[in-house]
Amino acid sequence: MRRRSVQIGLMLVLATFCCVLLVAFRVWRTGSITYLFLLWNLALAWVPMLISCLLYYGHRRNMQVPAGNLVLFGIWFLFFPNAPYIVTDLIHLIPRYPIPVWYDLMVIVFNAWTGFALAVCSLYQMQALIARRFGRPWGWVLAAVTIPATGLGIYIGRFLDWNSWDLMLEPTTIVRNVAADLLNAPNDPTAVAVSVLFSVLLGLTYGFARIAAGADTPSSAEV
């Protein structure tokens, strides 16, 4: 298990390195920082992965700090949508001379794929942690809550232009805006449609990853 964890970690680092190289080459070739924001988004995508690793490591080493763990979990939950969110950056794909559009497509796809990989691995790890501490059903509760919340979070980030840290600074305003959009679904279904579709996309990706990993019990997972 530990060997597989190291292998997955190395693959995530390698994927991130490829993303950096693709963006760096584009900056060098054009002198433009047009897609440099992808690396910022990718850095945010790493936040939940690093937190889940820290919490899982602390659990294995019996370093229990309930208040600290609760704060870290809250940060993980708020930042988790940043990982799959990168796929929405495809909206920026337009021809930009002298770089061919297919190259820009690959730049975004590499970053989006890495973001999804980080999301799947982080959720897998957190589900395993919750299952070990509180039982397998609670691990699945975490996944069942996190996936639709992530779909809504992606809508909030892309269409309402709020960031993860804004939820800590202006929670009332964000809740009011989201509630208004959801209640207005009969006239404008964007909020519901985007949230549901991204939830399904993440759920399918996570499900395929679990099946491919052959993990019947999340308590045995060590991502």
Side-chain angles (χ1 to χ4, degrees):
M1 288 295 184
R2 187 169 301 178
R3 180 181 179 184
R4 188 177 67 176
S5 300
V6 172
Q7 291 173 337
I8 291 174
L10 290 175
M11 289 300 295
L12 290 173
V13 171
L14 178 60
T16 301
F17 181 67
C18 289
C19 293
V20 173
L21 284 181
L22 286 169
V23 174
F25 174 80
R26 194 187 191 286
V27 172
W28 170 79
R29 179 69 177 81
T30 65
S32 170
I33 60 172
T34 300
Y35 282 113
L36 200 59
F37 70 88
L38 286 170
L39 299 185
W40 169 248
N41 289 346
L42 192 57
L44 293 177
W46 266 96
V47 171
M49 185 70 229
L50 294 175
I51 291 176
S52 64
C53 286
L54 180 61
L55 288 172
Y56 201 87
Y57 178 82
H59 172 72
R60 291 191 59 183
R61 298 293 179 178
N62 293 317
M63 297 185 294
Q64 304 301 323
V65 185
N69 289 347
L70 187 60
V71 170
L72 286 174
F73 176 79
I75 296 174
W76 176 85
F77 191 79
L78 289 178
F79 275 80
F80 184 81
N82 287 295
Y85 169 87
I86 303 176
V87 73
T88 67
D89 287 323
L90 283 166
I91 198 172
H92 299 293
L93 182 64
I94 59 173
R96 288 186 172 93
Y97 181 83
I99 296 295
V101 70
W102 65 261
Y103 184 86
D104 283 346
L105 174 63
M106 293 307 299
V107 171
I108 298 175
V109 167
F110 262 79
N111 281 269
W113 183 91
T114 304
F116 257 86
L118 287 165
V120 167
C121 291
S122 182
L123 181 55
Y124 191 88
Q125 195 169 50
M126 286 297 292
Q127 183 179 353
L129 174 60
I130 296 300
R132 281 172 175 255
R133 294 200 61 180
F134 305 107
R136 183 181 180 186
W138 285 107
W140 284 109
V141 167
L142 173 70
V145 171
T146 300
I147 290 173
T150 297
L152 183 60
I154 291 174
Y155 170 77
I156 293 172
R158 173 53 64 193
F159 290 87
L160 300 184
D161 203 26
W162 292 101
N163 298 308
S164 297
W165 48 87
D166 290 325
L167 284 168
M168 296 181 283
L169 300 175
E170 301 184 63
T172 304
T173 302
I174 295 176
V175 170
R176 191 185 306 120
N177 290 350
V178 172
D181 285 359
L182 292 176
L183 292 174
N184 192 44
N187 300 317
D188 183 2
T190 302
V192 173
V194 169
S195 300
V196 170
L197 289 175
F198 275 106
S199 299
V200 172
L201 178 61
L202 177 59
L204 288 174
T205 304
Y206 188 60
F208 277 121
R210 289 194 59 85
I211 293 172
D216 295 324
T217 57
S219 59
S220 67
E222 293 187 39
V223 180

